[in-house]
Every structure is written in structure tokens, then in C-alpha cells.
């Protein structure tokens, strides 16, 4: 768009930087945003000065695993602000001139550092506007960048949301049957599941199952609140109308718009699990190992 080009040109002219948005919402994520090899990804040099957020919360989950439901439930809490998917890891920073790069280097900032400052500022602004205490980000693609997120915010807290792999694949296919057949949906969903599993092995966090959340929401939300160190609130079970219902930013189906936690679909039988998903089904305890 012309206005976007005008704004970016002005940004380069007056600050030496430009902002780029990599990819589109809903596009297939392959990895975290690339930074030059000479730009190591590192924790904040001075956390008190470099980070405005305190203990941000990230829900790491595959696509179509109930993350929008969990987001809505947490957002109903008086201390937790859980907006729609924010995709901040796709926000990148470029040096408009060699002089700006030299200037930032003299301050001790590389490109990755500046991106972390940007990510933190965007989330902090959203949190301040909400008037709450902690921000929650549930973007599923964050699972592919969990190492970078944990480096950016050393005090970040992680909730791993799992769902039966066959249910995830089926829902992913139903979300866009014209874009992917059932086999393609299973293979694509498996990428997210493997990323989440890598994160579970590397990070400390709380694991929640979608089936438990929808089957006994009070017990599961109490577990989450205990983990996050906030008091449980009954209003979480009736989270109400959602302000953002849009494909690419979260679930937009009728069930999520009901405003209350509803029981999920029945678990698939063993013979309904695609072969490609059987190993992860065993790992996650949805299928007995042979």
C-alpha cells in the first residue's frame, strides 16, 4: 500500500530503520525470523532497562488445539490480558543505512537485540492499555521460535496445550479443506506437534490437555492459576463475547463464540489415527505404545 511505503520511507529517513512484516497470518511458518549469523540471539544485557514486560505468559500449542478457548478463559481473569494472536516474532528490524548499524553497534545493539526491544514494546503497550498485570500470547507459530522467545524474556512462563493428534489433524483439515486434504493436514499439524514437544523437553512449564480443559474446566483453570500465581476466578468459565473473531488471529467457529466452555468432540478410536500421527500419539499418552 502507498501509505505503508510512505510511512516506511519516512521512518528510514528520520531514524535509519525500517519495519518489515514477514509472511502473512495463516501462512506456513518454517522457523524463527532470520537474523544475520553475526547477530547472535542473546538475553537482555540489562533486563531492568531492556524489558518493560514482567513474566509474560506464552501458550505453546499446535494449531487447532483449543488455544483460542484457553486464551478466552484466561482473558476473562482480572489480572490476565490475553489478546488475539499477535505474531510478534514476525516483526523484524532492518538497518536503513550503514551509519545506523554502526550507531546501534556502538550502543551494544545488534539486529536481534533491536527486534527483542520491539517485541517487548508491542506486548507491553497492549498490556498497559488493558490495565491488567500480565500478558498472555497464544500464537501457535511461537512453538517454532520457543528458544528465541525464552531468550528474549528469561522470566517468561510457558503453558503447553496438547490435544489428541488425530483431532488436531481433523480440525486443521476442516478449517480449510480446499487448501489441504486430510493427509496434508496431518503432516502439517505434525510439524507443530513436534515443535511443541521440543519446547516441552527444553523448557519448564505446565502441560494442559484440551480434553481435560473442556471436560472439567474448573479443575484445569485452577491448575493454570496456581501455576501462574494468580487467584482462581469463577468468571473464567463464562468468558463471554469475543472482541476479535477472525480467521488467522484465532478460532472463529460457533463453539468459541458461545462464550462458555463446551465439551470437545469424542476422542478418535485407535484405528482412526493416521499412521503418521501414531508415534506422537504414544508420546503424548493418547495411544498405548506397542
Amino acid at each position: 500500500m502507498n501509505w505503508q511505503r510512505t510511512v516506511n520511507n519516512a521512518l528510514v529517513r528520520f531514524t535509519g530503520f525500517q519495519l518489515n512484516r514477514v509472511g502473512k497470518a495463516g501462512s506456513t511458518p518454517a522457523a524463527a525470523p532470520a537474523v544475520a549469523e553475526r547477530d547472535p540471539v542473546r538475553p537482555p544485557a540489562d533486563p531492568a532497562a531492556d524489558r518493560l514486560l514482567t513474566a509474560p505468559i506464552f501458550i505453546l500449542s499446535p494449531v487447532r488445539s483449543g488455544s483460542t478457548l484457553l486464551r478466552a478463559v484466561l482473558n476473562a481473569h482480572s489480572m490476565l490480558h490475553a489478546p488475539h494472536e499477535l505474531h510478534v516474532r514476525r516483526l523484524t528490524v532492518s538497518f536503513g543505512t550503514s551509519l545506523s548499524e554502526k550507531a546501534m553497534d556502538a550502543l551494544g545493539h545488534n539486529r536481534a537485540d533491536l527486534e527483542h526491544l520491539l517485541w517487548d514494546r508491542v506486548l507491553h503497550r497492549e498490556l498497559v492499555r488493558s490495565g491488567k498485570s500480565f500478558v498472555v500470547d497464544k500464537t501457535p507459530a511461537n512453538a517454532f521460535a520457543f528458544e528465541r522467545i525464552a531468550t528474549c524474556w528469561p522470566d517468561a512462563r510457558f503453558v503447553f496445550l496438547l490435544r489428541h493428534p488425530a483431532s488436531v489433524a481433523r480440525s486443521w483439515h476442516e478449517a480449510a479443506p480446499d487448501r489441504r486434504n486430510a493427509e496434508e493436514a496431518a503432516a502439517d499439524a505434525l510439524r507443530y506437534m513436534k515443535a511443541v514437544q521440543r519446547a516441552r523437553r527444553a523448557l519448564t512449564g505446565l502441560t494442559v490437555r484440551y480434553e481435560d480443559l473442556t471436560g472439567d474446566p474448573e479443575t484445569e483453570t485452577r491448575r493454570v492459576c496456581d501455576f501462574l500465581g494468580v487467584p482462581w476466578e469463577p468468571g473464567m468459565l463464562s468468558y463471554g463475547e469475543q472482541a476479535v473473531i477472525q480467521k488467522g488471529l484465532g478460532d472463529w467457529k460457533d463453539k468459541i463464540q458461545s462464550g462458555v466452555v463446551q465439551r470437545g468432540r469424542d476422542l478418535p478410536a485407535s484405528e482412526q489415527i493416521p499412521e503418521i500421527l501414531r508415534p506422537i500419539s504414544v508420546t503424548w499418552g493418547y495411544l498405548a505404545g506397542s
Side-chain angles (χ1 to χ4, degrees):
M1 295 183 181
N2 290 334
W3 69 268
Q4 292 173 321
R5 190 179 306 112
T6 299
V7 170
N8 233 346
N9 288 341
L11 191 62
V12 171
R13 189 163 58 252
F14 290 110
T15 70
F17 295 101
Q18 66 179 2
L19 299 181
N20 300 309
R21 189 180 74 179
V22 180
K24 298 180 179 179
S27 62
T28 301
V35 294
E37 288 191 13
R38 56 188 167 79
D39 292 344
V41 174
R42 55 199 180 187
D46 182 354
D50 294 349
R51 296 294 179 268
L52 298 177
L53 282 180
T54 298
I57 301 155
F58 293 90
I59 299 171
L60 299 184
S61 69
V63 290
R64 310 303 300 175
S65 59
S67 60
T68 298
L69 172 63
L70 182 54
R71 180 206 68 76
V73 167
L74 295 182
N75 191 55
H77 194 285
S78 63
M79 297 177 64
L80 305 175
H81 179 51
H84 59 78
E85 294 173 17
L86 297 176
H87 300 275
V88 293
R89 81 180 189 96
R90 293 295 191 179
L91 299 176
T92 62
V93 171
S94 298
F95 295 114
T97 67
S98 60
L99 287 177
S100 66
E101 185 171 6
K102 289 180 181 179
M104 292 301 100
D105 182 65
L107 293 178
H109 302 313
N110 65 25
R111 187 180 292 106
D113 298 332
L114 295 171
E115 289 175 353
H116 290 173
L117 290 172
L118 173 62
W119 299 356
D120 184 74
R121 182 67 180 87
V122 169
L123 290 182
H124 183 262
R125 179 181 184 274
E126 181 62 25
L127 178 62
V128 169
R129 293 179 67 195
S130 74
K132 295 186 178 183
S133 303
F134 302 104
V135 71
V136 181
D137 187 358
K138 54 79 58 178
T139 309
N142 282 344
F144 295 96
F146 71 86
E147 292 172 308
R148 180 122 187 232
I149 290 171
T151 302
C152 178
W153 292 283
D155 63 343
R157 293 171 291 173
F158 297 93
V159 176
F160 308 109
L161 179 62
L162 309 186
R163 187 183 183 184
H164 194 300
S167 297
V168 171
R170 177 181 171 185
S171 183
W172 191 223
H173 169 57
E174 292 173 349
D178 56 328
R179 291 181 55 187
R180 59 185 81 91
N181 60 35
E183 292 75 20
E184 292 168 338
D188 193 38
L190 181 59
R191 294 188 312 108
Y192 286 86
M193 297 176 208
K194 288 181 175 179
V196 171
Q197 185 58 21
R198 289 193 294 270
R200 292 180 71 206
R201 289 196 298 263
L203 303 172
T204 299
L206 175 71
T207 295
V208 176
R209 294 180 183 273
Y210 170 79
E211 294 82 6
D212 295 335
L213 178 62
T214 56
D216 188 355
E218 180 173 341
T219 296
E220 289 306 297
T221 53
R222 285 184 180 276
R223 286 183 63 234
V224 175
C225 287
D226 287 344
F227 172 71
L228 298 179
V230 298
W232 182 78
E233 296 179 358
M236 300 171 71
L237 305 183
S238 299
Y239 53 83
E241 183 179 355
Q242 297 303 289
V244 177
I245 298 293
Q246 182 177 337
K247 191 173 183 179
L249 299 181
D251 198 346
W252 70 102
K253 299 294 187 179
D254 291 342
K255 184 177 289 187
I256 199 68
Q257 296 186 55
S258 69
V260 295
V261 180
Q262 298 187 33
R263 182 174 292 275
R265 66 177 65 179
D266 293 337
L267 292 181
S270 174
E271 61 272 14
Q272 295 177 307
I273 303 175
E275 192 63 33
I276 193 175
L277 298 180
R278 297 184 78 83
I280 193 69
S281 297
V282 172
T283 299
W284 284 2
Y286 287 99
L287 181 66
S290 56

